[in-house]
Amino acid sequence: MKKIASVLLVMGVSVLGTACSQKAPEPLTSPDTNLSVKVFVTEQNTLAYSVDRAAQPVILPSDLGLQLSTADFTQGVTIESRSAITPVTDDYTLRVGKKNKIAYRANEQTFSILNAQQQKLILIFRVSDDGVAFRYAVKDSAIATKEFVKETTSFQLPETARAWLQPMAVSQTGWSNTNPSYEEHYQMDIPVGTASTLGAGWAFPALFNTGNTWVLVSEAGVNRDWHASRLHHESPKGEYTLATPQAPEIYIAPNGEKGALLANSRGDLISPWRILAIGDLPRIMESTLGTDLAEPAIALDKNIIQPGHSSWSWAILKDDFTTFDVQKKFIDYAAEMHWDYTLIDADWDKKIGMEKLKELVEYAAQKHIGILVWYNSSGSWNETPYSPKSELLTHEQRQAVFAQLKAIGVKGLKIDFFAGDGQSMMAYYHDIMADAAAHGLLLNFHGATLPRGWQRTYPNLMTMESIKGFEFTTFTQADQDPVAAHVVMSLFARNVFDPMDYTPMAFGDIPNIKRVTENSFELAEAVLMISGIQHFAEIPEGMATAPDYVKAFLQELPRAWDEVKFIDGYPGKYAVIARRAGDVWYVAGINAEKENKTLNLDLGFIGDKKGTLIASGAGERDFIQQDVNTKTPHTLSLRPSAGFVMVFK
């Protein structure tokens, strides 16, 4: 739809005869004035906005609006008032993310929107140096029951823009009806306006390029009253609108009662923040908007929040090896690698049992290893056979389970197979996170939605899958073959704002699969991917093939990061990222292109330091180690599906 601004209403004044003499409102810009937002009413009396970067259009005039069952703010609206522009300052720490100490600075403006019935909608915009965010709030007490009908928010990209998007899966498809779980391959460098291949929408985060500007669109701060959104599967002429979850994406209680699909509240109804990280690729890759806009952390004992590395048998060995003896071996493996955890996966309750689990926990504690255990989130919303199942559905069940696990010394849970993105499912996530925090338990969600900044609000949330991870590459060659490009792409979208439990790294063979990535690529994933607990897929036999210096690298690898710097890369093709922990810098890169990639790396930002390079040797499974320094630019050639790591102390 073409949006045409009414000049008088753009100014935010009434259409009286004296309106033209009123001073135009102050522009809403970022602190560095590089980004500028306009909010206006169109000649069709609908609400709209646009975004410029360096005075060049990035988001063309696009729709805003919210319709509830008893209030419509999608048409016939006026801007009653707009607040003064005020600075927003938020300094916070983040244990799980690309950096530890974060300073968020933005300019905020609030708009009071009236419809024809004089009902009120509050619209809040924030503009920071790295992007734009906005949300809706309905606090009008005259609207007693606030039930969502639709949201007309759109993102109009120039028709010449390109897109890097992940299709949403159709609900109740896939293995045991477990979709959607954000586990599809990305469609890369496609024209805007391309319809989703599966017809169910496009997942967040959604990456776009227009000229010299990149835009990463997502949402943050999804509360228990709202559903999670995605982009509509059709985007004519580059106009992307928000879509709602599909009907089955809801929580179902033990008594069969179905929860709500869409947002609703009897009190205030507050939408998630719609966020657009905007800038060049370094700006996008270093952005923290996804947590900047999340709710602050709940009160939690900081000693509980222990990011770390974990051994895990299931990735390569699968179901038959979830046994007492094998898990004991993996505890020994974790201890040898100086890691922090061992994850015991599905059906442990049948194959090991609670009493023997307690024995494993006690054995692991002697070696300073924490035990994590798997649970099935689902009730009747899918057909998954794995257990423990249906034991976390109610607050009373969670209290009993969490208390028992805490009593025997378990450190956290991996919880799998959620139903999707409906409002009642969002409330279920919040209930689990709050109850686990109260018991001092860490969490990892699999078969799940996106974190959307929850790791800030609930610091016990270490990671979430929400990606077509390593396990898929062990199922079929069709998922193994494109893995290099898929991994690179995930760094530019899925993993930009939120932790991602891809479960990386294998040096040995994968049964019945020809692994296409070189060992250097696999090693680099350990630095490039952000996850509060990094569950390494490699088993002891594969690790035994690695040189001692590779093992030492993994033994000393930091659990959390203080700083990030994007060095070079392109979505789906290659990536080079530097991360700092304390006074040590780690630099890692991977090449997903079909030919050798020559990198010219200027590492002067690290200072004058000597370091070590680990890269591919003569063969794809071989490593080499070399001394390097930061004094002069470093030239490095990577074979296809190869990578490297550097450490500067």
Side-chain angles (χ1 to χ4, degrees):
M1 167 185 280
K2 185 177 182 181
K3 291 89 182 171
I4 304 174
S6 166
V7 173
L8 296 177
L9 289 174
V10 167
M11 294 168 59
V13 297
S14 63
V15 287
L16 300 176
T18 59
C20 291
S21 66
Q22 299 295 316
K23 183 179 179 180
E26 178 185 0
L28 177 57
T29 65
S30 56
D32 66 2
T33 72
N34 197 42
L35 297 179
S36 177
V37 172
K38 295 178 183 177
V39 178
F40 56 92
V41 173
T42 69
E43 288 188 349
Q44 295 78 30
N45 295 321
T46 62
L47 197 62
Y49 75 104
S50 62
V51 181
D52 290 353
R53 175 180 179 240
Q56 296 299 312
V58 176
I59 301 296
L60 306 180
S62 302
D63 288 321
L64 296 166
L66 182 65
Q67 182 180 348
L68 307 180
S69 59
T70 55
D72 188 356
F73 301 99
T74 65
Q75 56 186 336
V77 300
T78 59
I79 299 177
E80 178 192 37
S81 64
R82 62 182 73 206
S83 73
I85 297 171
T86 57
V88 174
T89 299
D90 189 8
D91 297 301
Y92 63 97
T93 59
L94 197 65
R95 292 299 302 279
V96 176
K98 65 182 72 172
K99 58 195 301 186
N100 180 24
K101 295 181 180 179
I102 299 172
Y104 173 61
R105 304 290 184 266
N107 290 325
E108 179 178 283
Q109 189 168 30
T110 299
F111 302 82
S112 178
I113 311 300
L114 293 182
N115 63 12
Q117 290 72 42
Q118 299 301 293
Q119 296 167 311
K120 183 179 291 187
L121 171 72
I122 298 170
L123 172 65
I124 306 139
F125 262 86
R126 286 187 185 177
V127 189
S128 55
D129 291 347
D130 58 344
V132 173
F134 58 91
R135 78 188 316 179
Y136 305 100
V138 184
K139 300 182 178 182
D140 192 336
S141 59
I143 308 173
T145 301
K146 302 173 180 67
E147 296 179 343
F148 179 100
V149 174
K150 70 176 180 179
E151 180 179 344
T152 55
T153 298
S154 70
F155 311 95
Q156 177 69 64
L157 278 300
E159 291 185 52
T160 55
R162 308 291 291 181
W164 287 255
L165 305 171
Q166 180 192 157
M168 286 293 297
V170 176
S171 180
Q172 291 292 301
T173 61
W175 180 79
S176 292
N177 302 86
T178 52
N179 280 331
S181 298
Y182 294 79
E183 295 174 341
E184 303 301 321
H185 286 296
Y186 287 89
Q187 303 295 305
M188 292 180 275
D189 199 10
I190 59 176
V192 294
T194 302
S196 171
T197 50
L198 299 177
W202 297 108
F204 287 136
L207 181 65
F208 302 94
N209 174 252
T210 171
N212 296 322
T213 299
W214 293 83
V215 182
L216 187 64
V217 180
S218 192
E219 60 182 353
V222 179
N223 60 41
R224 60 179 297 109
D225 295 329
W226 206 279
H227 54 271
S229 301
R230 70 281 309 255
L231 296 178
H232 196 275
H233 72 279
E234 292 182 333
S235 49
K237 297 183 178 181
E239 183 178 24
Y240 290 81
T241 57
L242 291 183
T244 55
Q246 300 160 79
E249 297 181 44
I250 55 174
Y251 168 85
I252 302 175
N255 64 4
E257 182 179 349
K258 295 182 178 181
L261 178 67
L262 303 179
N264 66 92
S265 175
R266 293 188 178 276
D268 295 343
L269 184 63
I270 313 294
S271 81
W273 288 96
R274 281 65 183 90
I275 57 178
L276 302 93
I278 300 172
D280 56 16
L281 276 178
R283 178 77 79 179
I284 299 294
M285 296 295 284
E286 296 170 15
S287 173
T288 56
L289 273 183
T291 49
D292 296 340
L293 280 303
E295 291 298 311
I298 62 171
L300 188 64
D301 182 354
K302 293 183 179 179
N303 292 323
I304 294 167
I305 311 165
Q306 297 296 332
H309 302 148
S310 180
S311 64
W312 179 39
S313 67
W314 191 89
I316 291 176
L317 299 181
K318 303 298 187 276
D319 296 343
D320 292 341
F321 290 83
T322 305
T323 63
F324 181 90
D325 290 341
V326 171
Q327 299 311 305
K328 190 173 182 180
K329 175 182 175 182
F330 272 76
I331 292 169
D332 293 338
Y333 171 42
E336 178 188 351
M337 293 302 299
H338 303 176
W339 293 344
D340 310 277
Y341 300 101
T342 293
L343 169 62
I344 303 176
D345 218 273
D347 284 348
W348 63 265
D349 57 326
K350 298 173 182 175
K351 297 175 180 178
I352 296 173
M354 187 63 75
E355 286 302 314
K356 297 295 282 183
L357 174 65
K358 183 172 183 252
E359 192 175 325
L360 284 172
V361 171
E362 292 170 349
Y363 177 77
Q366 296 172 12
K367 295 176 174 284
H368 306 290
I369 300 298
I371 293 297
L372 311 169
V373 293
W374 187 96
Y375 271 77
N376 190 336
S377 77
S378 68
S380 59
W381 54 74
N382 62 46
E383 299 174 359
T384 52
Y386 290 120
S387 65
K389 181 174 180 175
S390 301
E391 294 187 13
L392 304 176
L393 294 174
T394 68
H395 174 69
E396 293 73 23
Q397 285 180 313
R398 292 189 293 273
Q399 290 289 94
V401 169
F402 292 170
Q404 184 179 26
L405 293 175
K406 184 68 174 179
I408 68 171
V410 168
K411 300 299 183 183
L413 295 83
K414 171 184 173 180
I415 306 177
D416 212 337
F417 300 134
F418 290 84
D421 287 340
Q423 176 270 319
S424 54
M425 189 55 59
M426 296 298 104
Y428 184 42
Y429 279 110
H430 278 273
D431 290 341
I432 292 174
M433 290 186 286
D435 288 344
H439 286 83
L441 293 168
L442 305 178
L443 288 175
N444 168 17
F445 291 136
H446 265 233
T449 191
L450 291 169
R452 294 176 170 87
W454 284 341
Q455 70 275 18
R456 178 185 177 186
T457 309
Y458 300 94
N460 58 317
L461 178 62
M462 293 287 102
T463 190
M464 293 176 70
E465 184 182 32
S466 324
I467 188 71
K468 198 176 191 70
F470 173 85
E471 66 181 58
F472 284 92
T473 72
T474 71
F475 298 152
T476 69
Q477 195 65 41
D479 282 320
Q480 172 67 215
D481 290 341
V483 69
H486 177 67
V487 166
V488 172
M489 185 62 229
S490 73
L491 302 176
F492 288 86
R494 167 65 182 87
N495 209 196
V496 169
F497 298 132
D498 295 312
M500 176 181 76
D501 196 27
Y502 179 86
T503 67
M505 203 180 71
F507 300 145
D509 294 330
I510 300 173
N512 305 312
I513 295 291
K514 183 184 185 302
R515 183 159 61 84
V516 299
T517 52
E518 298 198 8
N519 280 5
S520 60
F521 186 105
E522 297 290 310
L523 183 64
E525 290 176 337
V527 174
L528 293 170
M529 293 179 174
I530 294 292
S531 182
I533 297 178
Q534 196 77 277
H535 295 89
F536 289 119
E538 187 53 275
I539 61 176
E541 291 77 6
M543 188 63 70
T545 67
D548 288 343
Y549 57 81
V550 169
K551 294 177 187 175
F553 173 88
L554 292 167
Q555 288 168 335
E556 299 170 3
L557 188 65
R559 277 64 176 157
W561 302 105
D562 296 318
E563 188 178 351
V564 61
K565 184 173 179 61
F566 177 75
I567 297 176
D568 198 3
Y570 196 85
K573 294 185 177 181
Y574 71 104
V576 184
I577 298 173
R579 305 194 188 280
R580 180 179 62 83
D583 61 358
V584 180
W585 278 95
Y586 287 74
V587 182
I590 48 179
N591 176 28
E593 297 190 79
K594 301 299 184 183
E595 54 191 29
N596 288 1
K597 185 72 180 179
T598 299
L599 301 171
N600 296 302
L601 307 179
D602 184 353
L603 305 179
F605 65 91
I606 294 176
D608 187 3
K609 288 190 176 186
K610 295 181 179 179
T612 301
L613 164 72
I614 303 175
S616 287
E620 62 183 26
R621 300 285 182 96
D622 298 327
F623 288 104
I624 57 168
Q625 184 180 38
Q626 297 176 353
D627 293 333
V628 290
N629 63 68
T630 59
K631 288 184 178 179
T632 57
H634 193 84
T635 300
L636 189 66
S637 180
L638 297 184
R639 295 193 295 252
S641 301
F644 74 92
V645 295
M646 293 178 179
V647 184
F648 296 94
K649 296 184 179 180

